[in-house]
Amino acid sequence: MRLIVSVLVALIAFTGAAMADPFSNFYGNTVKVSGTAGERLVFIDEDGSYSQKLPDGTTAEGKYEVDGDTACFLGGEEPYCVPAEAREVGDTWELAAPDGSTETATLVAGR
């Protein structure tokens, strides 16, 4: 009986971890992305939408989709797909842009 209870507890714990939202720390915060085109600010929302302030001061909006361990941001000429990984405010990581260039992203507190 203990074995069955232990297995059930483990399954529930793993299911909860698997269903965790990798972008939960992004909501209400800003992703600062720097690359060859300059710096843009990306605002990711819980409803599957995002907006960004581009280097020239204009804004753009779109939707994103998370499929397993990949998130694709739609709305540009090509989808911008990245690993769907949880991040903490202050984390910095590299991204591969659709054009093949490397960009640097930092999760910054607040909007």
Side-chain angles (χ1 to χ4, degrees):
M1 182 66 169
R2 272 191 215 163
L3 178 62
I4 293 172
V5 171
S6 296
V7 169
L8 287 175
V9 168
L11 284 173
I12 291 169
F14 286 126
T15 301
M19 295 176 68
D21 183 351
F23 289 144
S24 63
N25 285 339
F26 291 66
Y27 309 140
N29 293 313
T30 303
V31 181
K32 191 183 298 186
V33 181
S34 300
T36 56
E39 182 178 276
R40 68 184 183 281
L41 304 177
V42 181
F43 310 103
I44 299 171
D45 295 315
E46 192 171 3
D47 66 357
S49 66
Y50 74 97
S51 62
Q52 53 185 333
K53 184 174 182 182
L54 303 172
D56 65 3
T58 61
T59 59
E61 298 179 348
K63 298 281 185 187
Y64 68 90
E65 299 172 347
V66 177
D67 185 13
D69 59 356
T70 302
C72 291
F73 291 80
L74 313 168
E77 292 177 20
E78 298 179 46
Y80 193 123
C81 297
V82 299
E85 296 175 351
R87 303 286 180 177
E88 298 293 327
V89 169
D91 284 356
T92 297
W93 63 99
E94 288 192 351
L95 299 170
D99 67 3
S101 66
T102 300
E103 297 186 305
T104 302
T106 301
L107 185 57
V108 180
R111 293 246 166 146

